[in-house]
Amino acid sequence: MQDIRFVYNNALTTEQLSSYSTQAFAAQRTLEDGTGKGNDFLGWLTLPEDIQTQLSDIKDTAALLRQKCDYIVCIGIGGSYLGAKAVIDALSSSFTWLEDNKPHILYAGQNIGEDYLFELQTLLKDKRFGIICISKSGTTTEPAIAFRLLKTQLEKQTGKDAARELIVCITDAKKGALRTLATEEGYKTFVIEDNIGGRFSVLSPVGLLPIACAGFDIQRLIEGAARENSLCSSAVDFAQNPAAQYAAARYDMYQQQGKKVELLANFNPKLHNISEWWKQLYGESEGKDGKALFPASVDFTTDLHSMGQYIQEGERLLFETVISVLGQQHELSIPANKANLDGLNFIAGKRVDEVNKMAELGTMLAHVDGGVPNLKIEIPEISEYYLGELIYFFEYACGVSGYMLGVNPFNQPGVEAYKKNMFALLGKPGYEQQTAEIQKRLSR
Ligand code: PA5
């Protein structure tokens, strides 16, 4: 069976890439031996093996929710929802909203949009819905607000006892407000282990329960991740190691070629949210100490008609990593047309994907000519198995890349800054001094 493949194309030579092999290997050993910064957050490394014992409970819980609900709302933010949404959207029909394939998976707690929440509540009025509330800390404001609103609505619609059967919480084993609430109310719970950070949690119940609720095969996802684990570890030579090579190539782009932005590009709209998940993974893991590539993303060919101009001719601070999907699930050929008014008969009979692939190749060549080197990650198809491979590939490479850069890839101290100001502005008890300081600042 073919695996996902990392291709460094024209971005650097084999000799240049190999010159980082010792440094990459050292970073891999630091990660695997648990001797680096943030080494109390390495539980994700062995998740493909460790999660096995929980899979049947996750599947059974998902089956119950699927049976009882037409809508399942996943409440969570950042690492507590992006992974699930990425996998579900990649595997779902592009028009799942309009099809009768219930339950529909919805999201809340990923913003504080009043209209969003109002419209969600309106949609769920008198509907059969359930809630999966996910928060590792159990104290994050956005999901807590959404949970308050939807729990109240659900209890009103079904009564407290029935609502209890429709709510599942995924949180810390012992601490946090969500754990306390779940224990008091008697909700079914799953645990986010202490040693797994949010953005590395998609292969834990955090990602697996929503994905199973959407009807996808979490066993295959984990099998793919396990396979990639065996391909990326430090036991595999640098010359054959896709994750070590990707980390090394990123390092070269940043340190040697002076690039500041990595654009993750896809030519398949189903991968849009894989890019959103990836941006959090790399942005939150590496963006600290005044360093790191800025992770951005584009969906091609759509964005070639918006961002394409900048990429081709704007400031030369970009390189591109293209996720290339080799096979499609469906076949569609372009019809011939007698009048040929659009002049497209020269591609009549070709598959749409063949045109897309030529757009991909043409774009990559054009961007190289424009000073935007590109790397490529090939995946045989979009399926549970290959998404599992892709997820583990990006996670492992992120750990290696963070250590090569010299940062702690597993903390996120900068995320607290906005929270402190928001709490002070909202008058949270204990924040009085900060409130006064902010008021002074705003009155200047
Ligand atoms: O990766 C992370 O740690 C963050 O993105 C968190 O997942 C996010 O802030 C949500 O935190 P919590 O799950 O504690 O509500």
Side-chain angles (χ1 to χ4, degrees), residues 21-67:
S21 62
T22 311
Q23 207 181 334
F25 181 75
Q28 286 180 276
R29 293 306 316 172
T30 304
L31 187 67
E32 291 171 17
D33 296 341
T35 52
K37 293 176 193 165
N39 57 2
D40 43 350
F41 281 97
L42 297 176
W44 58 272
L45 269 173
T46 49
L47 258 181
E49 204 181 306
D50 301 343
I51 199 66
Q52 291 295 340
T53 54
Q54 291 190 60
L55 289 185
S56 60
D57 191 10
I58 294 172
K59 284 187 217 168
D60 291 348
T61 306
L64 272 178
L65 285 174
R66 282 174 65 79
Q67 201 186 324

Side-chain angles (χ1 to χ4, degrees), residues 77-80 134-138 140 143 197-199 280 284 412:
I77 194 165
S80 287
I134 309 170
S135 177
K136 180 175 176 173
S137 63
T140 307
R199 59 189 174 275
Q280 188 212 3
E284 217 167 63
Q412 55 283 329

Side-chain angles (χ1 to χ4, degrees), residues 199-268:
R199 59 189 174 275
F200 288 87
S201 69
V202 55
L203 301 174
S204 80
V206 170
L208 297 182
L209 182 61
I211 294 167
C213 282
F216 299 116
D217 187 345
I218 55 174
Q219 182 75 49
R220 286 295 285 161
L221 189 79
I222 294 297
E223 281 167 16
R227 167 75 181 152
E228 193 62 21
N229 182 5
S230 73
L231 298 174
C232 292
S233 91
S234 63
V236 178
D237 232 34
F238 182 81
Q240 274 82 45
N241 195 312
Q245 288 187 5
Y246 175 52
R250 297 180 84 248
Y251 187 83
D252 184 80
M253 290 294 146
Y254 184 60
Q255 305 282 11
Q256 290 301 319
Q257 301 198 34
K259 301 300 179 189
K260 301 285 181 214
V261 178
E262 178 177 11
L263 266 183
L264 191 71
N266 68 71
F267 284 78
N268 192 319

